[in-house]
Amino acid sequence: MTATRWIDLRSDTVTRPTAAMRAAMHAAEVGDDVYGDDPSVNRLQAHAADRLGFEAALWFASGTQSNLAALMSHCGRGDEVICGQDAHTYRYEQGGAAVLGSIQPQPIAHQPDGSLALADIAAAIKPDDLHFARTRLLALENTIGGKVLPPAYVREACAFAQSRGLATHLDGARLMNAVVASAQDERDAVAGFDSASLCLSKGLGAPAGSLLLGSRTLIANARRWRKALGGGLRQAGFYAAAGLYALEHHVARLSEDHANATRLAAGLTALGLAVEPVQTNIVFLHLSEEDLPALRAQLQTGGVLASLGPRTRLVTHLDISRQQVEQVLAVFSDYYAHRRQTASTHSSQDPS
Ligand SMILES: *Cc1c(COP(=O)(O)O)cnc(C)c1O
């Protein structure tokens, strides 16, 4: 089986450029972006800034680098960022803000809906005292674990942070999933934030790239940090052309991924499995440890790639069709039908 035939539910990062996106990349006009000379990068940045209502935007090779440069632009050495325990910037980026930015993270527990309670944020803000780090920034994430932060909450949290003199950053790696799932206006979804990062390389389907949005001053600062972090790419316009294509053609269709995730969750629930409520393109499925090895083998035979564990994350995206969702459900269904059968055979042979 060739790699292109796998039904890959590990992440929405696995999407490959469509023929039309490849054509846009092929046709891209390019220049040296470190000199600011790449017309395709400049076009993408201007498009994104205008579309989302920020003064400026900056293309990065990855979301990790975009978040890190943002945090380093907001915070200096010994400053502190308040974020969620499960925030990507805290948990899944090797602590880069601390390691490379000398920024102290102050993680706090998430509420069940993914938000950070304002009372917890208030309690985490340090007074002006030489024993403490200087609390500078509140960083939220949307979507978080596939959940859309309630729009009213986002507005309140940003207003609260501002009232306490904190800057705000949004890790919006899957911002467009949040926008589409909640039918929000794109600008409204980011309106309260001083900066926002979004990934072009996930559900939007570009091969690489993230955008950071902010004020001209913040973006100028981030551009300096990007160079220091090794992120000054030269003819980045090939990627930017893919990113612009993604923003122009792949946003509204995210609703298909959400519908596919909902169908996947419903099918798995019908098999008697414990599935968490689905809001966007991410399904969390609870599996019993004893099923994992055999189920893993069966999925592999069925051409399905998934990172199985007690809490398994399955992600739908541009390269997963409804028909493939049905195929995945058929593999799960075969496994559980067979298991029930062997379980009943065993119990009928059991003399006790
Ligand atoms: C994927 C992701 C990022 C950045 O990831 P890269 O792989 O570095 O592009 C940041 N935040 C969240 C929430 C993500 O899901």
Side-chain angles (χ1 to χ4, degrees), residues 201-233:
S201 59
K202 295 198 167 158
L204 296 181
S210 279
L211 286 164
L212 180 66
L213 301 134
S215 67
R216 268 185 215 99
T217 312
L218 181 115
I219 293 297
N221 217 342
R223 193 179 176 86
R224 284 190 62 84
W225 283 125
R226 185 184 70 172
K227 189 78 179 83
L229 295 169
L233 270 68

PDB file of all heavy atoms in Angstrom, residues 201-233:
ATOM      1  N   SER A 201      -1.093  25.305   7.823  1.00  0.00           N
ATOM      2  CA  SER A 201      -0.632  23.948   7.502  1.00  0.00           C
ATOM      3  C   SER A 201      -1.486  22.857   8.126  1.00  0.00           C
ATOM      4  O   SER A 201      -1.168  21.690   8.024  1.00  0.00           O
ATOM      5  CB  SER A 201       0.801  23.795   7.995  1.00  0.00           C
ATOM      6  OG  SER A 201       0.830  24.035   9.394  1.00  0.00           O
ATOM      7  N   LYS A 202      -2.568  23.233   8.797  1.00  0.00           N
ATOM      8  CA  LYS A 202      -3.429  22.209   9.392  1.00  0.00           C
ATOM      9  C   LYS A 202      -4.639  21.995   8.476  1.00  0.00           C
ATOM     10  O   LYS A 202      -4.456  21.688   7.317  1.00  0.00           O
ATOM     11  CB  LYS A 202      -3.773  22.610  10.812  1.00  0.00           C
ATOM     12  CG  LYS A 202      -2.494  22.619  11.628  1.00  0.00           C
ATOM     13  CD  LYS A 202      -2.682  22.568  13.098  1.00  0.00           C
ATOM     14  CE  LYS A 202      -1.323  22.254  13.720  1.00  0.00           C
ATOM     15  NZ  LYS A 202      -1.263  22.680  15.106  1.00  0.00           N
ATOM     16  N   GLY A 203      -5.832  22.216   8.997  1.00  0.00           N
ATOM     17  CA  GLY A 203      -7.006  21.971   8.177  1.00  0.00           C
ATOM     18  C   GLY A 203      -7.043  22.797   6.899  1.00  0.00           C
ATOM     19  O   GLY A 203      -7.726  22.428   5.944  1.00  0.00           O
ATOM     20  N   LEU A 204      -6.320  23.902   6.864  1.00  0.00           N
ATOM     21  CA  LEU A 204      -6.344  24.744   5.666  1.00  0.00           C
ATOM     22  C   LEU A 204      -5.533  24.139   4.522  1.00  0.00           C
ATOM     23  O   LEU A 204      -5.660  24.560   3.372  1.00  0.00           O
ATOM     24  CB  LEU A 204      -5.866  26.167   5.988  1.00  0.00           C
ATOM     25  CG  LEU A 204      -6.770  26.941   6.966  1.00  0.00           C
ATOM     26  CD1 LEU A 204      -6.238  28.350   7.213  1.00  0.00           C
ATOM     27  CD2 LEU A 204      -8.207  27.022   6.444  1.00  0.00           C
ATOM     28  N   GLY A 205      -4.660  23.188   4.848  1.00  0.00           N
ATOM     29  CA  GLY A 205      -4.078  22.355   3.809  1.00  0.00           C
ATOM     30  C   GLY A 205      -2.808  22.840   3.133  1.00  0.00           C
ATOM     31  O   GLY A 205      -2.361  22.229   2.163  1.00  0.00           O
ATOM     32  N   ALA A 206      -2.184  23.910   3.613  1.00  0.00           N
ATOM     33  CA  ALA A 206      -0.904  24.331   3.030  1.00  0.00           C
ATOM     34  C   ALA A 206       0.202  23.413   3.554  1.00  0.00           C
ATOM     35  O   ALA A 206       0.079  22.844   4.635  1.00  0.00           O
ATOM     36  CB  ALA A 206      -0.606  25.785   3.374  1.00  0.00           C
ATOM     37  N   PRO A 207       1.290  23.242   2.793  1.00  0.00           N
ATOM     38  CA  PRO A 207       2.343  22.325   3.227  1.00  0.00           C
ATOM     39  C   PRO A 207       3.100  22.818   4.465  1.00  0.00           C
ATOM     40  O   PRO A 207       3.635  22.004   5.222  1.00  0.00           O
ATOM     41  CB  PRO A 207       3.276  22.240   2.019  1.00  0.00           C
ATOM     42  CG  PRO A 207       2.962  23.426   1.173  1.00  0.00           C
ATOM     43  CD  PRO A 207       1.539  23.783   1.438  1.00  0.00           C
ATOM     44  N   ALA A 208       3.178  24.116   4.666  1.00  0.00           N
ATOM     45  CA  ALA A 208       3.845  24.668   5.847  1.00  0.00           C
ATOM     46  C   ALA A 208       3.405  26.112   5.987  1.00  0.00           C
ATOM     47  O   ALA A 208       2.949  26.728   5.018  1.00  0.00           O
ATOM     48  CB  ALA A 208       5.373  24.612   5.705  1.00  0.00           C
ATOM     49  N   GLY A 209       3.548  26.640   7.194  1.00  0.00           N
ATOM     50  CA  GLY A 209       3.339  28.067   7.367  1.00  0.00           C
ATOM     51  C   GLY A 209       2.290  28.436   8.380  1.00  0.00           C
ATOM     52  O   GLY A 209       1.274  27.754   8.543  1.00  0.00           O
ATOM     53  N   SER A 210       2.592  29.506   9.096  1.00  0.00           N
ATOM     54  CA  SER A 210       1.662  30.116  10.048  1.00  0.00           C
ATOM     55  C   SER A 210       1.757  31.611   9.880  1.00  0.00           C
ATOM     56  O   SER A 210       2.764  32.129   9.375  1.00  0.00           O
ATOM     57  CB  SER A 210       2.056  29.748  11.480  1.00  0.00           C
ATOM     58  OG  SER A 210       1.589  28.461  11.806  1.00  0.00           O
ATOM     59  N   LEU A 211       0.721  32.301  10.315  1.00  0.00           N
ATOM     60  CA  LEU A 211       0.727  33.765  10.244  1.00  0.00           C
ATOM     61  C   LEU A 211       0.607  34.329  11.635  1.00  0.00           C
ATOM     62  O   LEU A 211      -0.186  33.836  12.449  1.00  0.00           O
ATOM     63  CB  LEU A 211      -0.452  34.251   9.414  1.00  0.00           C
ATOM     64  CG  LEU A 211      -0.316  34.055   7.908  1.00  0.00           C
ATOM     65  CD1 LEU A 211      -1.673  34.214   7.232  1.00  0.00           C
ATOM     66  CD2 LEU A 211       0.700  35.036   7.321  1.00  0.00           C
ATOM     67  N   LEU A 212       1.383  35.358  11.922  1.00  0.00           N
ATOM     68  CA  LEU A 212       1.214  36.128  13.152  1.00  0.00           C
ATOM     69  C   LEU A 212       0.635  37.487  12.755  1.00  0.00           C
ATOM     70  O   LEU A 212       1.111  38.113  11.802  1.00  0.00           O
ATOM     71  CB  LEU A 212       2.560  36.304  13.866  1.00  0.00           C
ATOM     72  CG  LEU A 212       2.487  37.110  15.170  1.00  0.00           C
ATOM     73  CD1 LEU A 212       1.671  36.368  16.235  1.00  0.00           C
ATOM     74  CD2 LEU A 212       3.902  37.389  15.701  1.00  0.00           C
ATOM     75  N   LEU A 213      -0.385  37.893  13.504  1.00  0.00           N
ATOM     76  CA  LEU A 213      -1.040  39.176  13.245  1.00  0.00           C
ATOM     77  C   LEU A 213      -0.873  40.075  14.446  1.00  0.00           C
ATOM     78  O   LEU A 213      -0.906  39.601  15.591  1.00  0.00           O
ATOM     79  CB  LEU A 213      -2.537  38.937  12.998  1.00  0.00           C
ATOM     80  CG  LEU A 213      -2.808  38.007  11.816  1.00  0.00           C
ATOM     81  CD1 LEU A 213      -3.842  36.966  12.161  1.00  0.00           C
ATOM     82  CD2 LEU A 213      -3.211  38.811  10.599  1.00  0.00           C
ATOM     83  N   GLY A 214      -0.711  41.383  14.202  1.00  0.00           N
ATOM     84  CA  GLY A 214      -0.578  42.305  15.324  1.00  0.00           C
ATOM     85  C   GLY A 214      -0.397  43.731  14.831  1.00  0.00           C
ATOM     86  O   GLY A 214      -0.602  44.022  13.640  1.00  0.00           O
ATOM     87  N   SER A 215       0.003  44.589  15.754  1.00  0.00           N
ATOM     88  CA  SER A 215       0.280  45.976  15.381  1.00  0.00           C
ATOM     89  C   SER A 215       1.585  46.034  14.578  1.00  0.00           C
ATOM     90  O   SER A 215       2.382  45.088  14.610  1.00  0.00           O
ATOM     91  CB  SER A 215       0.429  46.841  16.638  1.00  0.00           C
ATOM     92  OG  SER A 215       1.603  46.439  17.337  1.00  0.00           O
ATOM     93  N   ARG A 216       1.801  47.152  13.879  1.00  0.00           N
ATOM     94  CA  ARG A 216       3.062  47.300  13.128  1.00  0.00           C
ATOM     95  C   ARG A 216       4.272  47.147  14.038  1.00  0.00           C
ATOM     96  O   ARG A 216       5.247  46.500  13.689  1.00  0.00           O
ATOM     97  CB  ARG A 216       3.105  48.674  12.444  1.00  0.00           C
ATOM     98  CG  ARG A 216       2.562  48.620  11.044  1.00  0.00           C
ATOM     99  CD  ARG A 216       2.700  49.960  10.308  1.00  0.00           C
ATOM    100  NE  ARG A 216       1.532  50.071   9.466  1.00  0.00           N
ATOM    101  CZ  ARG A 216       0.446  50.773   9.770  1.00  0.00           C
ATOM    102  NH1 ARG A 216       0.408  51.518  10.858  1.00  0.00           N
ATOM    103  NH2 ARG A 216      -0.594  50.770   8.967  1.00  0.00           N
ATOM    104  N   THR A 217       4.168  47.727  15.222  1.00  0.00           N
ATOM    105  CA  THR A 217       5.295  47.670  16.162  1.00  0.00           C
ATOM    106  C   THR A 217       5.564  46.237  16.603  1.00  0.00           C
ATOM    107  O   THR A 217       6.715  45.777  16.620  1.00  0.00           O
ATOM    108  CB  THR A 217       4.977  48.525  17.410  1.00  0.00           C
ATOM    109  OG1 THR A 217       4.504  49.789  16.962  1.00  0.00           O
ATOM    110  CG2 THR A 217       6.180  48.703  18.307  1.00  0.00           C
ATOM    111  N   LEU A 218       4.490  45.536  16.973  1.00  0.00           N
ATOM    112  CA  LEU A 218       4.669  44.155  17.436  1.00  0.00           C
ATOM    113  C   LEU A 218       5.250  43.283  16.318  1.00  0.00           C
ATOM    114  O   LEU A 218       6.153  42.470  16.546  1.00  0.00           O
ATOM    115  CB  LEU A 218       3.335  43.565  17.904  1.00  0.00           C
ATOM    116  CG  LEU A 218       3.504  42.134  18.419  1.00  0.00           C
ATOM    117  CD1 LEU A 218       3.203  42.049  19.911  1.00  0.00           C
ATOM    118  CD2 LEU A 218       2.706  41.128  17.648  1.00  0.00           C
ATOM    119  N   ILE A 219       4.740  43.478  15.100  1.00  0.00           N
ATOM    120  CA  ILE A 219       5.200  42.641  13.984  1.00  0.00           C
ATOM    121  C   ILE A 219       6.657  42.967  13.621  1.00  0.00           C
ATOM    122  O   ILE A 219       7.441  42.066  13.284  1.00  0.00           O
ATOM    123  CB  ILE A 219       4.246  42.782  12.766  1.00  0.00           C
ATOM    124  CG1 ILE A 219       2.872  42.176  13.118  1.00  0.00           C
ATOM    125  CG2 ILE A 219       4.827  42.139  11.512  1.00  0.00           C
ATOM    126  CD1 ILE A 219       2.849  40.686  13.427  1.00  0.00           C
ATOM    127  N   ALA A 220       7.044  44.237  13.759  1.00  0.00           N
ATOM    128  CA  ALA A 220       8.446  44.606  13.493  1.00  0.00           C
ATOM    129  C   ALA A 220       9.358  43.898  14.497  1.00  0.00           C
ATOM    130  O   ALA A 220      10.430  43.376  14.153  1.00  0.00           O
ATOM    131  CB  ALA A 220       8.617  46.121  13.576  1.00  0.00           C
ATOM    132  N   ASN A 221       8.903  43.855  15.724  1.00  0.00           N
ATOM    133  CA  ASN A 221       9.632  43.173  16.788  1.00  0.00           C
ATOM    134  C   ASN A 221       9.717  41.665  16.511  1.00  0.00           C
ATOM    135  O   ASN A 221      10.789  41.041  16.623  1.00  0.00           O
ATOM    136  CB  ASN A 221       8.831  43.408  18.080  1.00  0.00           C
ATOM    137  CG  ASN A 221       9.695  43.606  19.279  1.00  0.00           C
ATOM    138  OD1 ASN A 221      10.883  43.261  19.265  1.00  0.00           O
ATOM    139  ND2 ASN A 221       9.104  44.145  20.335  1.00  0.00           N
ATOM    140  N   ALA A 222       8.575  41.102  16.128  1.00  0.00           N
ATOM    141  CA  ALA A 222       8.514  39.663  15.849  1.00  0.00           C
ATOM    142  C   ALA A 222       9.400  39.310  14.650  1.00  0.00           C
ATOM    143  O   ALA A 222       9.989  38.227  14.593  1.00  0.00           O
ATOM    144  CB  ALA A 222       7.071  39.245  15.585  1.00  0.00           C
ATOM    145  N   ARG A 223       9.490  40.228  13.708  1.00  0.00           N
ATOM    146  CA  ARG A 223      10.328  39.987  12.533  1.00  0.00           C
ATOM    147  C   ARG A 223      11.808  39.887  12.932  1.00  0.00           C
ATOM    148  O   ARG A 223      12.554  39.065  12.406  1.00  0.00           O
ATOM    149  CB  ARG A 223      10.125  41.150  11.550  1.00  0.00           C
ATOM    150  CG  ARG A 223      10.676  40.907  10.193  1.00  0.00           C
ATOM    151  CD  ARG A 223      10.401  42.109   9.285  1.00  0.00           C
ATOM    152  NE  ARG A 223      11.051  41.851   8.019  1.00  0.00           N
ATOM    153  CZ  ARG A 223      10.480  41.169   7.032  1.00  0.00           C
ATOM    154  NH1 ARG A 223       9.253  40.744   7.133  1.00  0.00           N
ATOM    155  NH2 ARG A 223      11.152  40.927   5.936  1.00  0.00           N
ATOM    156  N   ARG A 224      12.206  40.698  13.903  1.00  0.00           N
ATOM    157  CA  ARG A 224      13.577  40.600  14.436  1.00  0.00           C
ATOM    158  C   ARG A 224      13.775  39.240  15.098  1.00  0.00           C
ATOM    159  O   ARG A 224      14.761  38.561  14.850  1.00  0.00           O
ATOM    160  CB  ARG A 224      13.844  41.712  15.455  1.00  0.00           C
ATOM    161  CG  ARG A 224      14.092  43.087  14.871  1.00  0.00           C
ATOM    162  CD  ARG A 224      14.595  44.055  15.942  1.00  0.00           C
ATOM    163  NE  ARG A 224      15.882  43.611  16.518  1.00  0.00           N
ATOM    164  CZ  ARG A 224      17.067  43.862  15.957  1.00  0.00           C
ATOM    165  NH1 ARG A 224      17.158  44.550  14.847  1.00  0.00           N
ATOM    166  NH2 ARG A 224      18.180  43.405  16.538  1.00  0.00           N
ATOM    167  N   TRP A 225      12.828  38.860  15.962  1.00  0.00           N
ATOM    168  CA  TRP A 225      12.969  37.577  16.662  1.00  0.00           C
ATOM    169  C   TRP A 225      12.944  36.406  15.679  1.00  0.00           C
ATOM    170  O   TRP A 225      13.671  35.430  15.840  1.00  0.00           O
ATOM    171  CB  TRP A 225      11.872  37.398  17.723  1.00  0.00           C
ATOM    172  CG  TRP A 225      12.102  38.192  18.976  1.00  0.00           C
ATOM    173  CD1 TRP A 225      11.235  39.080  19.545  1.00  0.00           C
ATOM    174  CD2 TRP A 225      13.259  38.164  19.823  1.00  0.00           C
ATOM    175  NE1 TRP A 225      11.785  39.613  20.692  1.00  0.00           N
ATOM    176  CE2 TRP A 225      13.027  39.068  20.879  1.00  0.00           C
ATOM    177  CE3 TRP A 225      14.476  37.474  19.785  1.00  0.00           C
ATOM    178  CZ2 TRP A 225      13.959  39.285  21.899  1.00  0.00           C
ATOM    179  CZ3 TRP A 225      15.405  37.693  20.793  1.00  0.00           C
ATOM    180  CH2 TRP A 225      15.145  38.594  21.831  1.00  0.00           C
ATOM    181  N   ARG A 226      12.122  36.528  14.658  1.00  0.00           N
ATOM    182  CA  ARG A 226      12.045  35.441  13.675  1.00  0.00           C
ATOM    183  C   ARG A 226      13.415  35.190  13.055  1.00  0.00           C
ATOM    184  O   ARG A 226      13.845  34.047  12.874  1.00  0.00           O
ATOM    185  CB  ARG A 226      11.033  35.798  12.571  1.00  0.00           C
ATOM    186  CG  ARG A 226      10.801  34.675  11.570  1.00  0.00           C
ATOM    187  CD  ARG A 226       9.865  35.083  10.441  1.00  0.00           C
ATOM    188  NE  ARG A 226      10.485  36.056   9.538  1.00  0.00           N
ATOM    189  CZ  ARG A 226       9.961  36.465   8.393  1.00  0.00           C
ATOM    190  NH1 ARG A 226       8.766  36.016   8.013  1.00  0.00           N
ATOM    191  NH2 ARG A 226      10.575  37.354   7.630  1.00  0.00           N
ATOM    192  N   LYS A 227      14.130  36.253  12.770  1.00  0.00           N
ATOM    193  CA  LYS A 227      15.479  36.106  12.185  1.00  0.00           C
ATOM    194  C   LYS A 227      16.417  35.434  13.194  1.00  0.00           C
ATOM    195  O   LYS A 227      17.174  34.526  12.841  1.00  0.00           O
ATOM    196  CB  LYS A 227      16.018  37.481  11.780  1.00  0.00           C
ATOM    197  CG  LYS A 227      17.309  37.406  10.956  1.00  0.00           C
ATOM    198  CD  LYS A 227      17.004  37.027   9.513  1.00  0.00           C
ATOM    199  CE  LYS A 227      18.260  36.956   8.653  1.00  0.00           C
ATOM    200  NZ  LYS A 227      18.966  35.682   8.759  1.00  0.00           N
ATOM    201  N   ALA A 228      16.335  35.872  14.450  1.00  0.00           N
ATOM    202  CA  ALA A 228      17.206  35.279  15.480  1.00  0.00           C
ATOM    203  C   ALA A 228      16.886  33.800  15.686  1.00  0.00           C
ATOM    204  O   ALA A 228      17.761  33.003  16.020  1.00  0.00           O
ATOM    205  CB  ALA A 228      17.041  36.045  16.802  1.00  0.00           C
ATOM    206  N   LEU A 229      15.623  33.442  15.493  1.00  0.00           N
ATOM    207  CA  LEU A 229      15.201  32.050  15.696  1.00  0.00           C
ATOM    208  C   LEU A 229      15.475  31.185  14.462  1.00  0.00           C
ATOM    209  O   LEU A 229      15.083  30.026  14.413  1.00  0.00           O
ATOM    210  CB  LEU A 229      13.704  32.001  16.052  1.00  0.00           C
ATOM    211  CG  LEU A 229      13.336  32.654  17.399  1.00  0.00           C
ATOM    212  CD1 LEU A 229      11.821  32.786  17.536  1.00  0.00           C
ATOM    213  CD2 LEU A 229      13.924  31.874  18.561  1.00  0.00           C
ATOM    214  N   GLY A 230      16.124  31.757  13.481  1.00  0.00           N
ATOM    215  CA  GLY A 230      16.455  30.979  12.288  1.00  0.00           C
ATOM    216  C   GLY A 230      15.305  30.880  11.308  1.00  0.00           C
ATOM    217  O   GLY A 230      15.311  30.008  10.429  1.00  0.00           O
ATOM    218  N   GLY A 231      14.334  31.769  11.459  1.00  0.00           N
ATOM    219  CA  GLY A 231      13.133  31.667  10.634  1.00  0.00           C
ATOM    220  C   GLY A 231      13.073  32.651   9.482  1.00  0.00           C
ATOM    221  O   GLY A 231      11.993  32.876   8.926  1.00  0.00           O
ATOM    222  N   GLY A 232      14.214  33.239   9.127  1.00  0.00           N
ATOM    223  CA  GLY A 232      14.241  34.147   7.978  1.00  0.00           C
ATOM    224  C   GLY A 232      14.408  33.319   6.708  1.00  0.00           C
ATOM    225  O   GLY A 232      15.533  33.021   6.298  1.00  0.00           O
ATOM    226  N   LEU A 233      13.292  32.936   6.105  1.00  0.00           N
ATOM    227  CA  LEU A 233      13.377  32.136   4.881  1.00  0.00           C
ATOM    228  C   LEU A 233      13.519  33.063   3.673  1.00  0.00           C
ATOM    229  O   LEU A 233      13.073  34.198   3.710  1.00  0.00           O
ATOM    230  CB  LEU A 233      12.144  31.230   4.740  1.00  0.00           C
ATOM    231  CG  LEU A 233      12.313  29.851   5.399  1.00  0.00           C
ATOM    232  CD1 LEU A 233      12.381  29.973   6.907  1.00  0.00           C
ATOM    233  CD2 LEU A 233      11.190  28.913   4.991  1.00  0.00           C
TER     234      LEU A 233
END
